[in-house]
Amino acid sequence: MRQDFLDTLHCPYTGSRFVVGGTSAADAAGIKFGWVTSEAGDFPIIDGILRLPVDELRAPIVQLIRDGKLSDATSTALELPYPEKTAVAVNQLFRAAYRTGFSPAAGLLMAPKRRLQRITAEGNEPLATMAARIKTGLWADWQVYRFSMPTFLPVYPLLNVLKTDGPLLDFGCGMGHGAFLISRIVPARQIVCADHSFFCLYMARKFFASEASFVCLDGDYPLPFSSSYFASVFSSDAVHCMDSKLALTQEFRRVARHEAVLVLAHLHSKLSPQSFGKSLTPDGYRRLFDGVPHRLVPEDVMVKEFVENGNLDLAREYTSAELNRPVPGLSLVASHDAAVFRRYDSLWNRQVARMKNPIVNPIYRTTATNGGAHLQKRSPVVSAGHFSTDYLPESITLNGAGWPGNGVRELQQSQPERFAELARQFVLVDAPERFV
């Protein structure tokens, strides 16, 4: 946790500034373990992540840090990955044990959390290997295949709308897939990742955007950031899960500069036949931004135009009939800067140029052949509906002596048009160094 960033924050419960209460470990990036104090009390910094929820774990974590038990502090803060029922039960029982003062039960329930901490702290193994060791099939598939899931695809065109001349907030960042792609267009030090899950932030810091700043918070309370601090506010697949949507979006407007851009990718539609979260109708989402110029775009139209033509048209305003179709998702862009609402062209050229670590999409099983490699699409544990897209072919054959070793890099250099075609189909994706 960098001191210069910490100095910009305030307590979301009292509005008072944070003062560093103590430091148990620090590195070149700032405070790694310690605690800060406000008029609401002490809040822990765990592995460089400021944890702000006021819950039954706050005081025990601070005490563990005070006592120098840093590994136990991390284990206590980590949640077992959702949505497996066993993980949910352990997390709830662990909190209940602290809430009721039944510490022996908390001690027993620390065992699976310590195991999780050991797995995530060990070595330099890739995310996919680590996820498999955690043995949570649905969660693991969700993270490994996230870059090409239909609910994530709107992120790609919307990256081009973000303003890069100042700090950028990624709210509800999850494991950091969006933050990773954002780090291709702005230095990671400009990104602030915020999420309610400490485990997600811990993994995001480890794999996706290590130089970003991380704040664990409850989005139903005011945000701890200074007014007019961010040049862009980004959120993907998160706002529809919040209870206090109006208060949250008003906070987005407060912490953003006047000419900033607010990008909400994948807002689940209440009119979709598939229910999820606490979704709103298109009119409901638009009312959240009364008084701010904005565009609400049907997700299927936006993704189709991006994939097939490399465009994003924010000059167009959609009718109520077009927005009220039973599509799974919508995306919203809001800004007082009229120049934001234009047509963006040649987006695939930009996307391909930003791919610094292209890999074969891990949804494909790669088999070496005499002339190259054959790719066959897997059947993830994640339900089929999350992969019902025509953009990923069921199978494909890649030719060239470099497969399956350094074939992607060779293709990028020797056959740029073929490389761009495979990227457009999401056969090739950009990923962190330790991803698969």
Side-chain angles (χ1 to χ4, degrees), residues 45 70 109 117 140 155 162 168 173 228 238 251 307 330 334 341 408:
I45 297 173
L70 306 185
L109 292 167
Q117 196 270 335
V155 171
L162 297 172
L168 188 150
C173 66
S228 304
E251 280 292 279
V307 172
L330 308 154
F341 303 108
V408 177

Side-chain angles (χ1 to χ4, degrees), residues 75-353:
S75 297
T76 301
L78 290 173
E79 313 97 351
L80 299 187
Y82 291 96
E84 280 69 19
K85 292 180 180 180
T86 301
V88 173
V90 170
N91 292 335
Q92 291 177 343
L93 289 171
F94 186 77
R95 288 176 174 274
Y98 272 106
R99 188 165 54 249
T100 59
F102 191 52
S103 55
L108 291 173
L109 292 167
M110 274 289 282
K113 291 162 73 71
R114 286 196 178 103
R115 176 181 176 273
L116 177 64
Q117 196 270 335
R118 285 195 303 271
I119 290 173
T120 55
E122 288 173 0
N124 293 310
E125 64 185 3
L127 172 66
T129 303
M130 184 177 292
R133 288 180 61 199
I134 295 172
K135 297 180 180 178
T136 53
L138 176 58
W139 174 84
D141 279 1
W142 192 281
Q143 309 311 327
V144 174
Y145 305 136
R146 180 69 172 155
F147 282 121
S148 57
M149 289 173 64
T151 55
F152 189 79
L153 297 186
V155 171
Y156 290 95
L158 290 171
L159 287 174
N160 301 279
V161 182
L162 297 172
K163 294 193 174 185
T164 60
D165 58 342
L168 188 150
L169 173 63
D170 183 359
F171 177 88
C173 66
M175 287 272 290
H177 296 76
F180 166 75
L181 294 180
I182 293 169
S183 72
R184 294 305 202 207
I185 62 174
V186 302
R189 283 175 62 89
Q190 288 181 215
I191 303 171
V192 176
C193 293
D195 200 275
H196 76 285
S197 168
F198 178 84
F199 175 73
C200 283
L201 293 170
Y202 181 78
M203 297 294 279
R205 186 172 188 265
K206 190 176 185 69
F207 289 101
F208 290 92
S210 59
E211 294 184 1
S213 297
F214 297 89
V215 182
C216 182
L217 51 74
D218 185 339
D220 285 320
Y221 286 89
L223 298 177
F225 311 114
S226 299
S227 298
S228 304
Y229 183 73
F230 293 104
S232 295
V233 174
F234 173 85
S235 183
S236 175
D237 204 0
V239 171
H240 49 247
C241 295
M242 306 303 300
D243 287 318
S244 187
K245 297 177 181 64
L246 179 59
L248 175 62
T249 52
Q250 288 175 339
E251 280 292 279
F252 285 168
R253 292 156 69 171
R254 178 186 66 80
V255 302
R257 299 171 183 174
H258 181 71
E259 297 293 304
V261 60
L262 281 63
V263 175
L264 306 185
H266 185 61
L267 298 165
H268 193 88
S269 174
K270 192 173 185 177
L271 303 180
S272 168
Q274 184 180 23
S275 62
F276 182 75
K278 303 158 188 175
S279 308
L280 300 181
T281 64
D283 284 344
Y285 287 122
R286 298 192 71 167
R287 280 194 298 271
L288 298 177
F289 290 89
D290 280 347
V292 182
H294 61 272
R295 294 287 187 273
L296 191 62
V297 184
E299 211 160 83
D300 58 340
V301 174
M302 180 174 64
V303 171
K304 185 175 188 293
E305 183 65 17
F306 168 66
V307 172
E308 294 182 359
N309 302 311
N311 300 326
L312 170 64
D313 189 358
L314 293 183
R316 176 182 174 184
E317 294 195 52
Y318 289 85
T319 66
S320 294
E322 291 173 314
L323 293 171
N324 289 335
R325 292 183 298 113
V327 296
L330 308 154
S331 291
L332 186 145
V333 176
S335 181
H336 287 289
D337 182 358
V340 168
F341 303 108
R342 61 180 177 84
R343 182 182 174 88
Y344 297 77
D345 295 311
S346 302
L347 299 187
W348 269 112
N349 293 340
R350 300 185 197 180
Q351 174 61 28
V352 170

Side-chain angles (χ1 to χ4, degrees), residues 30-44:
I31 301 172
K32 192 168 184 183
F33 286 89
W35 65 93
V36 296
T37 299
S38 75
E39 291 194 37
D42 297 335
F43 297 89

